[in-house]
Amino acid sequence: QVQFVESGGGLVQPGGSLRLSCAASGFTFRTYAMSWFRQAPGKERELVATISNTGDSTNYADSVKGRFTISRDNAKNAVYLQMVSLKPEDTAVYYCNAKIYKRPWGQGTQVTVSS
């Protein structure tokens, strides 16, 4: 059973924007804090952003603070990541998952920032 399906990635120029979506299933989504992670070639998977189960609080990695916005729609079992002012160093495969209680990783969605 697929737990997470990420979408919305693509190729953009530096300074561009993308909106990523994550469709979740198989658990009581609304009770879990959710996060976006990313993994660049040759690097460890890193935490990018987290949103509380209710959506009342968020936090971000310093590298994306002020540029990325995480949100969720519990009625749709969905998490989103709005990314603006993209930089080449944002290039990575982006994944969503519960912050603490990890389910199997989805396929992720590729974000490539290049001129």
Side-chain angles (χ1 to χ4, degrees):
Q1 179 179 356
V2 176
Q3 295 291 294
F4 306 107
V5 180
E6 299 93 347
S7 62
L11 173 64
V12 298
Q13 295 184 355
S17 301
L18 285 172
R19 183 176 175 85
L20 308 184
S21 298
C22 168
S25 63
F27 64 104
T28 308
F29 177 83
R30 64 180 175 84
T31 69
Y32 289 88
M34 294 293 297
S35 295
W36 282 96
F37 303 81
R38 68 186 182 188
Q39 187 167 31
K43 299 182 65 176
E44 300 288 335
R45 199 192 312 268
E46 65 174 335
L47 177 64
V48 174
T50 298
I51 187 166
S52 64
N53 65 307
T54 63
D56 289 341
S57 63
T58 58
N59 66 270
Y60 301 89
D62 288 342
S63 59
V64 308
K65 195 169 299 180
R67 300 187 298 117
F68 290 11
T69 302
I70 187 171
S71 61
R72 68 190 295 161
D73 185 342
N74 286 343
K76 297 181 178 180
N77 283 10
V79 189
Y80 307 98
L81 188 68
Q82 179 67 55
M83 307 183 294
V84 301
S85 301
L86 283 161
K87 305 175 180 180
E89 51 262 46
D90 295 319
T91 295
V93 179
Y94 284 71
Y95 305 87
C96 64
N97 214 320
K99 177 176 172 56
I100 303 299
Y101 178 37
K102 301 293 192 297
R103 298 283 180 164
W105 298 98
Q107 293 297 302
T109 186
Q110 176 72 51
V111 172
T112 302
V113 185
S114 176
S115 59

